[in-house]
């Protein structure tokens, strides 16, 4: 072990960890990310274009741009919007497929201080309408391939038809097509009297937090840039000779972080439209990728593919992301000959990112920043644990479970608030350790380990993760109860063998006035819910229980899950290939238990 650092007690850290901490504090002290410093993703790309104009910057489906070409493409977006009277602080909703277009708009708008609302293309109808409207967008930029989703609810949007612009093919006459105007726009760096600054709003990232419907998180330029530099330059240094490979959508916070990291390094960023376990290593070899990004399911999908003799024959040396479980860590690293796995924890709402620099399997980092505290939590009673004076208690013994909270008064911690003040207020905790203090509740449960290591356990409240997305129970419930044959619905997440996260399960009380029709129900959920939010399991129940605070009671439903040996109610699982629900019997229960059914 290496040099010691101090945080209440002495703990041993590796030299690698210590050097990263030193570098991080140097960056913080430099005022590089000071509130009034001009900056942002657009200006970062502009700087790289000046330094290394001819080096490759981005590659997508056979098209490659140098840093100079990328910067000019971003400038065309910026200058087009300036010609349309765009001003700093206005908002454009990006409803775009993963593509070079996404990068150009993301960075081009950042050059002029226009906020990008990063809309998940999986969303449909009610959910899509909700996130666009809460972003208070001035414009929508949409790919032609996705335009039909906008047209389905155009009358319910708070954006005028004249401000809905189409990319990648002709739209209807009522929508402006941007393909030609962008080609004709000037490609010089825009000259601004007041450029975007680090503390200003860059993007709306959408999350359900831990309760309620999706919320727009106000993400600042410095939040993502400092975090991505912290991961890819400080904790696990990358260089201009690296090639980043990302199969993640850019509306996902980790897809965005990976792109920002590549731009920090001046490296080449290879973007794939969609993750494919079959094509992953072929792509890595083809592009000579050295840095891979992942989110929970990706490593397991890759590992579950049949082993091949050349699995270890690949150029990937770093694997960086979120959600790699301890049981898979070493096996994955050995089979694919990965030099370094870097597990990271972070939230759209900010706080202190945690980084497992030492590479200890199953951990997401050490708790060393005094502004981040793990406080004891009683899972059974769904509440914090308090001492005799009414204050919360810190986790200090290995094995204890707790919720991570962040100090609102610590200048080293940046909290991104929601656009909805009431939603933000629900996440704030006061009088935690003393009268008058203020803390932000992450809503995430961790286990405390020796050496102040933390391992992620679960999300609390009304949200769970599935297919690398946050699923809001209330959001899915609101869609289900609008179906005429459903009187009440309780939504919760359940574990599935060999799958990270939790699958959506719904306890449904039927409306006796309607006949249940599976085909019709299937059409309804497919049309109104994102694929990751569609219930994978259905349990028909006679009554819905409430907690003392009149919330839907889920604890016993979660515990029983879909165990047909314990449950007398009718149980069904979703056959995703056929898009139909199938009764769970002895045979199918055994297949599910042994991970033989794909979800």
């Amino acid at each position: 072990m290496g040099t010691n650092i101090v945080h209440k007690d002495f703990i041993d850290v590796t030299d690698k960890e210590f050097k990263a901490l030193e570098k991080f504090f140097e960056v913080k002290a430099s005022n590089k990310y000071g509130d009034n410093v001009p900056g942002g993703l657009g200006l970062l790309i502009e700087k790289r274009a000046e330094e290394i104009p001819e080096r490759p910057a981005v590659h997508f489906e056979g098209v490659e741009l140098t840093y100079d070409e990328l910067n000019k493409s971003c400038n065309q977006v910026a200058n087009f919007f300036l010609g349309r009277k765009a001003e700093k602080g206005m908002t454009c909703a990006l409803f775009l497929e993963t593509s070079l277009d996404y990068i150009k708009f993301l960075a081009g708008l950042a050059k002029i201080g226009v906020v990008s609302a990063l809309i998940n293309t999986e969303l449909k109808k009610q959910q899509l309408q909700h996130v666009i409207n809460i972003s208070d967008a001035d414009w929508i930029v949409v790919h032609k391939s996705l335009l039909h989703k906008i047209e389905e609810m155009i009358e319910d949007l708070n954006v005028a038809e004249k401000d809905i612009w189409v990319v990648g093919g002709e739209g209807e006459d009522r929508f402006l097509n941007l393909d030609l105007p962008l080609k004709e726009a000037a490609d010089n760096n825009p000259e601004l009297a007041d450029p975007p600054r680090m503390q200003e709003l860059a993007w709306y990232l959408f999350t359900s937090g831990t309760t309620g419907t999706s919320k727009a998180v106000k993400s600042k330029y410095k939040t993502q840039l400092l975090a991505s530099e912290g991961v890819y330059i400080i904790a696990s240094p990358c260089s201009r000779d690296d090639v980043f490979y990302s199969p993640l959508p850019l509306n996902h916070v980790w897809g965005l972080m990976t792109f920002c990291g590549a731009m920090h390094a001046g490296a080449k960023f290879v973007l794939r439209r969609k993750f494919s376990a079959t094509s992953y290593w072929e792509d890595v070899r083809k592009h000579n990728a050295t840095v891979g990004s992942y989110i929970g399911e990706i490593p397991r999908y890759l590992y579950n593919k049949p082993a091949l003799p050349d699995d270890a024959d690949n150029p990937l040396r770093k694997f960086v992301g979120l959600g790699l479980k301890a049981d898979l860590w070493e096996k994955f690293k050995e089979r694919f000959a990965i030099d370094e796995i870097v597990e990271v924890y972070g939230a759209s709402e900010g706080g202190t990112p945690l980084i497992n620099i030492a590479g200890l399997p199953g951990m997401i980092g050490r708790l060393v920043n005094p502004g981040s505290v793990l406080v004891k939590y009683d899972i059974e009673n769904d509440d914090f644990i308090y001492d005799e004076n009414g204050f919360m208690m810190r986790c200090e013994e290995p094995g204890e479970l707790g919720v991570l909270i962040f100090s609102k008064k610590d200048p080293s911690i940046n909290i991104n608030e929601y656009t909805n003040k009431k939603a933000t207020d629900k996440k704030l905790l006061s009088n935690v350790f003393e009268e008058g203090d203020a803390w932000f509740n992450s809503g995430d449960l961790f286990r405390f380990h020796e050496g102040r290591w933390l391992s992620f356990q679960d999300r609390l409240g009304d949200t769970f993760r599935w297919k690398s997305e946050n699923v809001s129970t209330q959001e899915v419930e609101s869609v289900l109860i609008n179906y005429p044959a459903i009187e009440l619905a309780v939504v919760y997440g359940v574990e599935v063998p060999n799958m990270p996260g939790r699958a959506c399960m719904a306890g449904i009380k039927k409306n006796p006035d309607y006949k249940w029709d599976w085909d019709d129900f299937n059409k309804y959920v497919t049309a109104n819910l994102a694929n990751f939010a569609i219930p994978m399991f259905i349990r028909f129940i006679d009554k819905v229980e409430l907690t003392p605070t009149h919330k839907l009671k889920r604890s016993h439903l979660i515990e029983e899950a879909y165990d047909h040996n314990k449950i007398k109610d009718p149980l069904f699982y979703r056959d995703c290939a056929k898009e139909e629900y199938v009764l769970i019997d002895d045979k199918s229960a055994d297949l599910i238990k042994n991970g033989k059914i794909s979800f």
Side-chain angles (χ1 to χ4, degrees), residues 178-214:
L178 291 188
D179 292 350
L180 183 59
L182 284 179
K183 288 181 181 178
E184 295 177 342
D187 63 5
N188 58 289
N189 293 330
E191 296 182 7
L192 303 172
D194 183 20
R197 301 180 188 277
M198 286 296 186
Q199 91 282 10
E200 292 175 338
L201 183 57
W203 304 296
Y204 287 129
L205 303 172
F206 294 91
T207 177
S208 48
T210 53
T211 60
T213 56
S214 295

Side-chain angles (χ1 to χ4, degrees), residues 566-578:
K566 294 181 180 178
I567 301 169
K568 302 303 180 185
D569 300 325
L571 287 169
F572 297 82
Y573 76 92
R574 183 175 175 83
D575 184 325
C576 294
K578 297 180 180 179

Side-chain angles (χ1 to χ4, degrees), residues 109-122:
L109 294 172
K111 277 177 173 271
I112 58 175
V114 170
V115 181
S116 293
L118 310 185
I119 311 296
N120 190 336
T121 57
E122 290 285 324

Side-chain angles (χ1 to χ4, degrees), residues 91-103:
T91 300
C92 180
L94 300 185
F95 194 49
L96 299 170
E97 302 277 6
T98 299
S99 60
L100 287 180
D101 289 331
Y102 208 122
I103 291 175

Side-chain angles (χ1 to χ4, degrees), residues 53-70:
E54 300 307 316
R55 288 190 70 92
V58 293
H59 182 106
F60 178 76
E61 295 186 347
V63 178
E64 188 161 292
L65 300 179
T66 65
Y67 272 95
D68 181 61
E69 291 169 333
L70 173 61

